[in-house]
Amino acid sequence: MNIGDKFPELLGLDADGKEVKLSDYPGKKFIIYFYPKDNTSGCSMEAVSLKDNYDTFLQMGYQIIGVSKDSAASHKKFAEKYSLPFPLIADTECKLCEFAGVWRMKKMCGKEYMGIVRTTFVCDNDGTVTDVIEKVMTKTAADQLFKLLEGRGEINPA
């Protein structure tokens, strides 16, 4: 997905099997982040960074939604382990990942495989992409987003 593209109304099912729709968050803009796998070091650091700043994002008018191909059960354990307050989409068939263009060929240790390329999309309140972060800094993901939003004039520098 690129700037100007729009996410679908129905994003998928969360860890409890409940449908997650953009319209579930009236008046909110969105931070939709795609990550490779629950309970890995980078993905855990990214989730905790966003969790620790979740109230600030809500005050700024943003809802955070995480997406990976892990199962609902895996997401539930991951969310409980780190007390994540935002929904995690269980995109087990990679439909949303493919739609967003983050399901791609990757390489590790000389082997090629299909996987999720860690990417964060900032969207307006109808799901239209306004910014894309392709080089996510997992440990400081929230700070990276704050700098982006500050550059857009959405927040004042501290």
Side-chain angles (χ1 to χ4, degrees), residues 45-127:
M45 286 188 288
E46 182 180 16
V48 168
S49 176
L50 296 170
K51 174 198 80 160
D52 288 348
N53 293 279
Y54 184 61
D55 288 340
T56 302
F57 284 114
L58 286 178
Q59 290 168 6
M60 293 172 60
Y62 283 93
Q63 173 60 45
I64 296 173
I65 298 172
V67 183
S68 84
K69 67 182 234 76
D70 292 303
S71 69
S74 175
H75 278 346
K76 193 166 192 71
K77 288 178 189 172
F78 184 53
E80 287 172 358
K81 180 177 181 179
Y82 292 103
S83 301
L84 302 179
F86 44 80
L88 299 175
I89 304 287
D91 191 25
T92 56
E93 295 178 11
C94 300
K95 289 180 182 178
L96 189 60
C97 292
E98 286 178 358
F99 182 86
V102 301
W103 183 250
R104 299 187 209 146
M105 186 64 67
K106 296 171 76 171
K107 280 186 182 183
M108 185 166 43
C109 301
K111 294 188 180 193
E112 290 188 344
Y113 63 97
M114 293 299 290
I116 295 173
V117 175
R118 186 184 314 277
T119 309
T120 299
F121 296 92
V122 179
C123 305
D124 65 14
N125 58 6
D126 73 350

Coordinates of all heavy atoms in Angstrom, one line a residue, residues 45-127:
M45 N 9.4 -6.0 21.5 CA 9.9 -4.6 21.8 C 9.0 -3.6 21.1 O 8.6 -2.5 21.7 CB 11.3 -4.4 21.4 CG 12.3 -5.1 22.3 SD 14.0 -4.6 21.9 CE 14.3 -5.5 20.3
E46 N 8.6 -3.8 19.9 CA 7.7 -2.9 19.2 C 6.3 -2.8 19.9 O 5.8 -1.7 20.1 CB 7.5 -3.4 17.7 CG 6.7 -2.5 16.9 CD 6.5 -3.0 15.5 OE1 6.8 -4.2 15.2 OE2 6.1 -2.2 14.6
A47 N 5.8 -3.9 20.2 CA 4.4 -3.9 20.9 C 4.5 -3.2 22.2 O 3.6 -2.4 22.5 CB 3.9 -5.4 21.1
V48 N 5.5 -3.4 23.0 CA 5.7 -2.8 24.3 C 5.9 -1.2 24.1 O 5.3 -0.4 24.9 CB 6.8 -3.4 25.1 CG1 7.2 -2.6 26.3 CG2 6.4 -4.8 25.5
S49 N 6.6 -0.8 23.1 CA 6.8 0.6 22.9 C 5.5 1.3 22.6 O 5.2 2.3 23.1 CB 7.8 0.8 21.7 OG 7.9 2.2 21.4
L50 N 4.7 0.6 21.8 CA 3.4 1.2 21.4 C 2.4 1.1 22.6 O 1.7 2.1 22.9 CB 2.8 0.4 20.2 CG 3.6 0.6 18.9 CD1 3.1 -0.3 17.8 CD2 3.6 2.0 18.4
K51 N 2.5 0.0 23.4 CA 1.6 -0.1 24.6 C 2.0 1.0 25.6 O 1.1 1.6 26.2 CB 1.8 -1.5 25.2 CG 1.1 -1.6 26.6 CD 1.6 -2.7 27.4 CE 2.9 -2.3 28.1 NZ 3.2 -3.1 29.3
D52 N 3.3 1.2 25.8 CA 3.7 2.2 26.8 C 3.2 3.6 26.5 O 3.2 4.5 27.3 CB 5.2 2.2 27.0 CG 5.7 0.9 27.7 OD1 4.8 0.2 28.3 OD2 6.9 0.7 27.7
N53 N 2.9 3.9 25.2 CA 2.5 5.2 24.8 C 1.1 5.2 24.2 O 0.7 6.2 23.6 CB 3.5 5.7 23.7 CG 4.9 5.9 24.2 OD1 5.1 6.9 24.8 ND2 5.8 4.9 24.1
Y54 N 0.3 4.1 24.5 CA -1.0 4.0 23.9 C -1.9 5.1 24.3 O -2.6 5.7 23.5 CB -1.6 2.6 24.4 CG -2.9 2.3 23.8 CD1 -3.1 2.2 22.4 CD2 -4.0 2.1 24.6 CE1 -4.4 1.8 21.9 CE2 -5.3 1.8 24.1 CZ -5.4 1.6 22.8 OH -6.6 1.3 22.2
D55 N -1.9 5.5 25.6 CA -2.8 6.6 26.1 C -2.5 7.9 25.3 O -3.4 8.6 25.0 CB -2.7 6.8 27.6 CG -3.3 5.7 28.4 OD1 -4.2 4.9 27.8 OD2 -3.0 5.5 29.5
T56 N -1.2 8.2 25.1 CA -0.9 9.4 24.3 C -1.4 9.3 22.9 O -2.0 10.3 22.4 CB 0.7 9.6 24.3 OG1 1.1 9.6 25.7 CG2 1.1 10.8 23.6
F57 N -1.3 8.1 22.3 CA -1.8 8.0 20.9 C -3.3 8.2 20.9 O -3.9 8.8 20.0 CB -1.4 6.6 20.3 CG 0.0 6.5 19.8 CD1 0.9 5.7 20.5 CD2 0.4 7.3 18.8 CE1 2.2 5.6 20.0 CE2 1.8 7.2 18.3 CZ 2.6 6.4 19.0
L58 N -4.0 7.6 21.9 CA -5.5 7.8 22.0 C -5.8 9.3 22.1 O -6.7 9.8 21.5 CB -6.0 7.0 23.1 CG -6.1 5.5 23.0 CD1 -6.7 4.9 24.3 CD2 -7.0 5.1 21.8
Q59 N -5.1 10.0 23.0 CA -5.3 11.4 23.2 C -5.1 12.2 21.9 O -5.8 13.2 21.7 CB -4.4 12.0 24.3 CG -4.8 11.4 25.7 CD -3.8 11.7 26.7 OE1 -2.8 12.4 26.5 NE2 -4.0 11.2 27.9
M60 N -4.2 11.7 21.1 CA -3.9 12.4 19.8 C -4.9 12.0 18.7 O -4.9 12.5 17.6 CB -2.5 12.0 19.3 CG -1.4 12.5 20.2 SD 0.2 11.9 19.7 CE 0.3 12.4 18.0
G61 N -5.8 11.1 19.1 CA -6.9 10.7 18.2 C -6.6 9.5 17.3 O -7.2 9.2 16.3
Y62 N -5.6 8.7 17.7 CA -5.2 7.5 17.0 C -5.5 6.2 17.7 O -5.3 6.1 18.9 CB -3.7 7.5 16.7 CG -3.2 8.4 15.6 CD1 -2.9 9.7 15.9 CD2 -3.2 8.0 14.3 CE1 -2.5 10.6 14.9 CE2 -2.9 8.9 13.3 CZ -2.5 10.2 13.6 OH -2.1 11.1 12.6
Q63 N -6.0 5.2 17.0 CA -6.2 3.9 17.5 C -5.1 3.0 16.9 O -4.8 3.1 15.7 CB -7.6 3.3 17.0 CG -7.8 1.8 17.3 CD -7.7 1.5 18.8 OE1 -8.3 2.3 19.7 NE2 -7.0 0.5 19.2
I64 N -4.5 2.2 17.7 CA -3.4 1.3 17.2 C -4.0 -0.1 17.0 O -4.8 -0.6 17.8 CB -2.3 1.2 18.3 CG1 -1.6 2.5 18.4 CG2 -1.3 0.1 17.9 CD1 -0.6 2.6 19.6
I65 N -3.7 -0.7 15.9 CA -4.1 -2.1 15.5 C -2.9 -2.8 15.0 O -2.2 -2.4 14.1 CB -5.2 -2.1 14.5 CG1 -6.4 -1.3 15.0 CG2 -5.6 -3.5 14.1 CD1 -7.5 -1.1 14.0
G66 N -2.6 -4.0 15.6 CA -1.5 -4.8 15.2 C -2.0 -6.0 14.3 O -3.1 -6.4 14.5
V67 N -1.1 -6.4 13.4 CA -1.5 -7.5 12.5 C -0.3 -8.4 12.3 O 0.8 -8.0 12.0 CB -1.9 -6.9 11.1 CG1 -2.4 -8.1 10.2 CG2 -3.0 -5.9 11.2
S68 N -0.5 -9.7 12.4 CA 0.5 -10.7 12.0 C -0.3 -12.0 11.6 O -1.5 -12.0 11.7 CB 1.5 -11.0 13.1 OG 0.9 -12.0 14.0
K69 N 0.4 -12.9 11.1 CA -0.3 -14.2 10.6 C -0.5 -15.2 11.7 O -1.0 -16.3 11.5 CB 0.4 -14.8 9.4 CG 1.8 -15.3 9.6 CD 2.4 -15.8 8.4 CE 2.8 -17.3 8.4 NZ 1.9 -18.3 8.4
D70 N -0.1 -14.8 12.9 CA -0.2 -15.7 14.1 C -1.7 -16.0 14.3 O -2.6 -15.2 14.0 CB 0.4 -15.2 15.3 CG 2.0 -15.1 15.2 OD1 2.6 -16.2 14.9 OD2 2.5 -14.0 15.3
S71 N -2.0 -17.1 15.0 CA -3.3 -17.5 15.3 C -3.9 -16.6 16.4 O -3.2 -15.9 17.1 CB -3.4 -19.0 15.8 OG -2.7 -19.0 17.1
A72 N -5.2 -16.7 16.6 CA -5.9 -15.9 17.6 C -5.4 -16.4 19.0 O -5.2 -15.5 19.9 CB -7.4 -16.2 17.5
A73 N -5.2 -17.7 19.2 CA -4.7 -18.2 20.4 C -3.3 -17.6 20.7 O -3.0 -17.2 21.9 CB -4.6 -19.7 20.4
S74 N -2.4 -17.5 19.8 CA -1.1 -17.0 19.9 C -1.2 -15.5 20.3 O -0.5 -15.0 21.2 CB -0.3 -17.1 18.6 OG 1.0 -16.5 18.8
H75 N -2.0 -14.8 19.6 CA -2.2 -13.3 19.9 C -2.8 -13.1 21.3 O -2.3 -12.2 22.0 CB -3.3 -12.7 18.9 CG -2.7 -12.3 17.6 ND1 -1.4 -12.2 17.3 CD2 -3.3 -12.0 16.4 CE1 -1.2 -11.9 16.0 NE2 -2.4 -11.7 15.5
K76 N -3.7 -14.0 21.7 CA -4.2 -13.8 23.0 C -3.1 -14.0 24.1 O -3.0 -13.2 25.0 CB -5.3 -14.9 23.3 CG -6.2 -14.6 24.5 CD -7.4 -15.5 24.4 CE -8.5 -15.1 25.4 NZ -9.1 -13.8 25.1
K77 N -2.3 -15.0 24.0 CA -1.2 -15.2 24.9 C -0.2 -14.0 24.9 O 0.3 -13.5 25.9 CB -0.4 -16.5 24.6 CG -1.2 -17.7 25.0 CD -0.4 -19.0 24.6 CE -1.3 -20.2 24.7 NZ -0.6 -21.4 24.2
F78 N 0.1 -13.5 23.7 CA 1.0 -12.4 23.5 C 0.5 -11.2 24.1 O 1.2 -10.5 24.8 CB 1.3 -12.2 21.9 CG 2.2 -11.2 21.5 CD1 3.5 -11.1 22.1 CD2 1.9 -10.2 20.6 CE1 4.5 -10.2 21.7 CE2 2.8 -9.2 20.2 CZ 4.1 -9.2 20.7
A79 N -0.8 -10.9 23.8 CA -1.4 -9.7 24.4 C -1.5 -9.8 25.9 O -1.3 -8.8 26.6 CB -2.8 -9.5 23.8
E80 N -1.8 -10.9 26.5 CA -1.9 -11.1 27.9 C -0.5 -11.0 28.5 O -0.3 -10.3 29.6 CB -2.5 -12.4 28.3 CG -4.0 -12.5 28.0 CD -4.6 -13.9 28.2 OE1 -3.9 -14.8 28.5 OE2 -5.8 -14.0 28.0
K81 N 0.5 -11.6 27.9 CA 1.9 -11.5 28.5 C 2.4 -10.1 28.6 O 3.1 -9.7 29.6 CB 2.8 -12.3 27.5 CG 4.3 -12.3 28.0 CD 5.1 -13.2 27.0 CE 6.6 -13.3 27.5 NZ 7.3 -14.1 26.6
Y82 N 2.1 -9.2 27.6 CA 2.6 -7.9 27.6 C 1.5 -6.8 27.9 O 1.7 -5.6 27.8 CB 3.2 -7.5 26.3 CG 4.5 -8.3 26.1 CD1 4.5 -9.5 25.2 CD2 5.7 -8.0 26.7 CE1 5.7 -10.2 25.1 CE2 6.8 -8.7 26.6 CZ 6.8 -9.8 25.7 OH 8.0 -10.6 25.6
S83 N 0.3 -7.3 28.3 CA -0.8 -6.4 28.7 C -1.1 -5.4 27.6 O -1.2 -4.2 27.8 CB -0.5 -5.6 30.0 OG -0.3 -6.5 31.1
L84 N -1.2 -5.9 26.4 CA -1.4 -5.0 25.2 C -2.9 -4.6 25.2 O -3.8 -5.4 25.2 CB -1.1 -5.8 23.9 CG 0.4 -6.3 23.8 CD1 0.6 -7.0 22.5 CD2 1.4 -5.1 24.0
P85 N -3.1 -3.3 25.1 CA -4.5 -2.8 25.2 C -5.2 -2.6 23.8 O -6.3 -2.2 23.8 CB -4.3 -1.4 25.9 CG -3.0 -1.0 25.3 CD -2.1 -2.2 25.2
F86 N -4.5 -2.9 22.8 CA -5.0 -2.7 21.4 C -5.2 -4.0 20.7 O -4.6 -5.0 21.1 CB -4.1 -1.8 20.6 CG -2.6 -2.1 20.7 CD1 -2.1 -3.1 20.0 CD2 -1.8 -1.4 21.5 CE1 -0.7 -3.4 20.1 CE2 -0.5 -1.6 21.6 CZ 0.1 -2.7 20.9
P87 N -6.1 -4.1 19.8 CA -6.4 -5.3 19.1 C -5.3 -5.8 18.2 O -4.5 -5.0 17.6 CB -7.7 -5.0 18.2 CG -7.7 -3.5 18.1 CD -7.0 -3.0 19.2
L88 N -5.2 -7.1 18.1 CA -4.2 -7.8 17.2 C -5.0 -8.6 16.3 O -5.8 -9.5 16.7 CB -3.2 -8.7 18.0 CG -2.4 -8.0 19.1 CD1 -1.5 -9.0 19.8 CD2 -1.5 -6.9 18.4
I89 N -4.9 -8.4 15.0 CA -5.6 -9.1 14.0 C -4.9 -10.4 13.7 O -3.6 -10.4 13.4 CB -5.7 -8.3 12.6 CG1 -6.3 -6.9 12.9 CG2 -6.4 -9.1 11.5 CD1 -7.8 -6.9 13.1
A90 N -5.6 -11.5 13.7 CA -5.0 -12.8 13.4 C -5.3 -13.1 11.9 O -6.3 -13.7 11.5 CB -5.7 -13.9 14.2
D91 N -4.3 -12.6 11.1 CA -4.4 -12.7 9.6 C -3.8 -14.0 9.2 O -2.8 -14.1 8.4 CB -3.7 -11.5 9.0 CG -4.0 -11.4 7.5 OD1 -5.0 -11.9 7.0 OD2 -3.2 -10.8 6.8
T92 N -4.3 -15.2 9.6 CA -3.8 -16.5 9.4 C -3.7 -16.8 7.9 O -2.8 -17.6 7.5 CB -4.5 -17.6 10.1 OG1 -5.9 -17.5 9.7 CG2 -4.4 -17.4 11.7
E93 N -4.5 -16.3 7.1 CA -4.5 -16.6 5.6 C -3.7 -15.5 4.9 O -3.7 -15.5 3.6 CB -5.9 -16.8 5.1 CG -6.6 -18.0 5.7 CD -8.0 -18.2 5.2 OE1 -8.4 -17.5 4.2 OE2 -8.7 -19.0 5.8
C94 N -3.2 -14.5 5.6 CA -2.4 -13.4 5.0 C -3.1 -12.6 4.0 O -2.5 -11.9 3.2 CB -1.1 -14.0 4.4 SG -0.1 -14.8 5.6
K95 N -4.5 -12.5 4.1 CA -5.3 -11.7 3.2 C -5.0 -10.2 3.4 O -4.8 -9.5 2.4 CB -6.7 -12.0 3.4 CG -7.1 -13.4 2.9 CD -8.6 -13.6 3.0 CE -9.0 -15.0 2.6 NZ -10.4 -15.3 2.8
L96 N -5.0 -9.7 4.6 CA -4.7 -8.3 4.9 C -3.3 -8.0 4.6 O -3.0 -6.9 4.1 CB -5.1 -7.9 6.3 CG -5.1 -6.4 6.6 CD1 -6.1 -5.6 5.7 CD2 -5.5 -6.2 8.1
C97 N -2.4 -8.9 4.9 CA -1.0 -8.7 4.7 C -0.7 -8.6 3.2 O 0.1 -7.7 2.7 CB -0.1 -9.9 5.2 SG -0.1 -9.9 7.0
E98 N -1.3 -9.4 2.4 CA -1.2 -9.4 0.9 C -1.8 -8.1 0.4 O -1.2 -7.4 -0.4 CB -1.8 -10.6 0.2 CG -1.0 -11.8 0.4 CD -1.7 -13.1 -0.2 OE1 -2.8 -13.0 -0.8 OE2 -1.0 -14.1 -0.1
F99 N -3.0 -7.7 0.9 CA -3.6 -6.5 0.5 C -2.7 -5.3 0.8 O -2.6 -4.3 -0.1 CB -5.0 -6.3 1.2 CG -5.7 -5.1 0.9 CD1 -6.6 -5.1 -0.2 CD2 -5.6 -3.9 1.6 CE1 -7.3 -4.0 -0.6 CE2 -6.3 -2.8 1.2 CZ -7.2 -2.8 0.1
A100 N -2.1 -5.3 1.9 CA -1.2 -4.2 2.3 C 0.2 -4.2 1.6 O 0.9 -3.2 1.7 CB -1.0 -4.1 3.8
G101 N 0.5 -5.3 1.0 CA 1.7 -5.5 0.3 C 2.9 -5.8 1.2 O 4.1 -5.5 0.8
V102 N 2.6 -6.3 2.4 CA 3.7 -6.6 3.3 C 4.1 -8.1 3.3 O 5.0 -8.5 4.0 CB 3.4 -6.1 4.7 CG1 3.2 -4.6 4.7 CG2 2.2 -6.8 5.3
W103 N 3.3 -8.9 2.6 CA 3.6 -10.4 2.5 C 4.6 -10.5 1.3 O 4.1 -10.4 0.2 CB 2.4 -11.2 2.4 CG 2.5 -12.6 2.3 CD1 2.4 -13.4 1.2 CD2 2.9 -13.5 3.4 NE1 2.6 -14.8 1.6 CE2 2.9 -14.8 2.9 CE3 3.2 -13.3 4.7 CZ2 3.3 -15.9 3.7 CZ3 3.5 -14.4 5.5 CH2 3.6 -15.7 5.0
R104 N 5.9 -10.7 1.6 CA 6.9 -10.7 0.5 C 7.9 -11.8 0.8 O 8.1 -12.3 1.8 CB 7.6 -9.3 0.5 CG 6.7 -8.2 0.2 CD 7.5 -6.9 0.1 NE 6.8 -5.7 0.5 CZ 7.3 -4.7 1.1 NH1 8.6 -4.6 1.3 NH2 6.5 -3.7 1.4
M105 N 8.7 -11.9 -0.3 CA 9.9 -12.8 -0.2 C 10.9 -12.2 0.7 O 11.2 -11.0 0.6 CB 10.5 -13.0 -1.6 CG 11.6 -14.1 -1.7 SD 11.0 -15.7 -1.2 CE 10.0 -16.1 -2.5
K106 N 11.4 -13.0 1.7 CA 12.5 -12.5 2.6 C 13.6 -13.5 2.5 O 13.5 -14.6 2.0 CB 11.9 -12.5 4.0 CG 10.8 -11.5 4.2 CD 10.1 -11.6 5.5 CE 10.9 -11.1 6.6 NZ 10.2 -11.0 7.9
K107 N 14.8 -13.1 3.0 CA 16.0 -13.9 3.1 C 16.5 -13.9 4.5 O 16.6 -12.9 5.1 CB 17.0 -13.4 2.1 CG 16.9 -13.7 0.7 CD 18.1 -13.3 -0.1 CE 17.9 -13.6 -1.6 NZ 19.0 -13.2 -2.4
M108 N 16.9 -15.1 4.9 CA 17.6 -15.2 6.2 C 18.5 -16.4 6.1 O 18.1 -17.5 5.7 CB 16.6 -15.4 7.4 CG 17.4 -15.4 8.7 SD 16.4 -15.1 10.2 CE 15.0 -16.1 10.0
C109 N 19.8 -16.2 6.5 CA 20.7 -17.3 6.5 C 20.8 -18.0 5.1 O 21.0 -19.2 5.0 CB 20.4 -18.4 7.6 SG 20.4 -17.7 9.2
G110 N 20.7 -17.2 4.1 CA 20.8 -17.7 2.7 C 19.6 -18.4 2.2 O 19.6 -18.9 1.1
K111 N 18.5 -18.5 3.0 CA 17.3 -19.1 2.5 C 16.2 -18.1 2.3 O 16.1 -17.1 3.0 CB 16.8 -20.1 3.6 CG 17.7 -21.3 3.8 CD 17.1 -22.3 4.7 CE 18.1 -23.4 4.9 NZ 17.5 -24.6 5.5
E112 N 15.4 -18.4 1.2 CA 14.3 -17.5 0.9 C 13.0 -18.1 1.4 O 12.8 -19.3 1.3 CB 14.3 -17.3 -0.6 CG 15.4 -16.4 -1.2 CD 15.3 -16.1 -2.6 OE1 14.4 -16.7 -3.3 OE2 16.0 -15.2 -3.1
Y113 N 12.1 -17.2 1.8 CA 10.8 -17.7 2.3 C 9.9 -16.5 2.2 O 10.3 -15.3 2.2 CB 10.9 -18.2 3.7 CG 11.4 -17.2 4.7 CD1 10.4 -16.5 5.5 CD2 12.7 -16.8 4.9 CE1 10.8 -15.5 6.4 CE2 13.1 -15.9 5.8 CZ 12.2 -15.2 6.6 OH 12.5 -14.3 7.5
M114 N 8.6 -16.8 2.2 CA 7.6 -15.7 2.3 C 7.3 -15.3 3.8 O 7.3 -16.2 4.6 CB 6.3 -16.2 1.7 CG 6.4 -16.4 0.2 SD 6.8 -14.9 -0.8 CE 5.3 -13.9 -0.6
G115 N 7.2 -14.0 4.0 CA 7.0 -13.6 5.4 C 6.5 -12.2 5.4 O 6.4 -11.5 4.3
I116 N 6.1 -11.7 6.6 CA 5.7 -10.3 6.7 C 6.9 -9.4 6.9 O 7.7 -9.6 7.7 CB 4.7 -10.2 8.0 CG1 3.5 -11.0 7.8 CG2 4.4 -8.7 8.3 CD1 2.6 -11.1 9.0
V117 N 6.9 -8.4 6.1 CA 7.9 -7.3 6.2 C 7.3 -6.3 7.2 O 6.3 -5.7 6.9 CB 8.2 -6.7 4.8 CG1 9.2 -5.5 5.0 CG2 8.8 -7.7 3.9
R118 N 8.1 -6.1 8.3 CA 7.6 -5.2 9.3 C 7.4 -3.8 8.7 O 8.3 -3.2 8.2 CB 8.6 -5.1 10.4 CG 8.2 -4.3 11.6 CD 9.3 -4.2 12.7 NE 10.0 -5.4 12.9 CZ 9.6 -6.3 13.8 NH1 8.5 -6.2 14.4 NH2 10.3 -7.4 14.0
T119 N 6.1 -3.3 8.8 CA 5.7 -2.0 8.2 C 4.6 -1.4 9.1 O 3.8 -2.1 9.6 CB 5.2 -2.3 6.8 OG1 6.1 -3.1 6.1 CG2 4.9 -1.0 6.1
T120 N 4.7 -0.1 9.2 CA 3.6 0.6 9.9 C 3.0 1.6 9.0 O 3.7 2.4 8.3 CB 4.3 1.4 11.2 OG1 4.8 0.4 12.0 CG2 3.2 2.2 11.9
F121 N 1.7 1.6 9.0 CA 0.9 2.6 8.2 C 0.2 3.5 9.1 O -0.5 3.1 10.1 CB -0.2 1.8 7.4 CG 0.4 0.9 6.4 CD1 0.6 -0.4 6.7 CD2 0.8 1.4 5.1 CE1 1.2 -1.3 5.7 CE2 1.3 0.5 4.2 CZ 1.5 -0.8 4.5
V122 N 0.3 4.8 8.9 CA -0.5 5.8 9.5 C -1.7 6.2 8.6 O -1.4 6.5 7.4 CB 0.3 7.1 9.9 CG1 -0.5 8.1 10.6 CG2 1.5 6.7 10.7
C123 N -2.9 6.2 9.1 CA -4.1 6.4 8.3 C -5.0 7.5 8.9 O -5.0 7.6 10.1 CB -4.9 5.1 8.2 SG -3.9 3.7 7.6
D124 N -5.7 8.1 8.0 CA -6.7 9.1 8.5 C -7.9 8.3 9.0 O -7.9 7.0 9.0 CB -7.0 10.2 7.5 CG -7.7 9.6 6.2 OD1 -8.2 8.5 6.2 OD2 -7.8 10.4 5.3
N125 N -9.0 9.0 9.4 CA -10.1 8.3 10.0 C -11.0 7.4 9.1 O -11.9 6.7 9.5 CB -11.0 9.3 10.8 CG -11.6 10.4 9.9 OD1 -11.4 10.4 8.7 ND2 -12.2 11.3 10.5
D126 N -10.7 7.5 7.8 CA -11.5 6.5 6.9 C -10.6 5.4 6.4 O -10.9 4.6 5.5 CB -12.2 7.3 5.7 CG -11.2 7.8 4.7 OD1 -10.0 7.7 4.9 OD2 -11.7 8.2 3.6
G127 N -9.3 5.3 7.0 CA -8.4 4.2 6.6 C -7.5 4.6 5.4 O -6.8 3.7 4.9

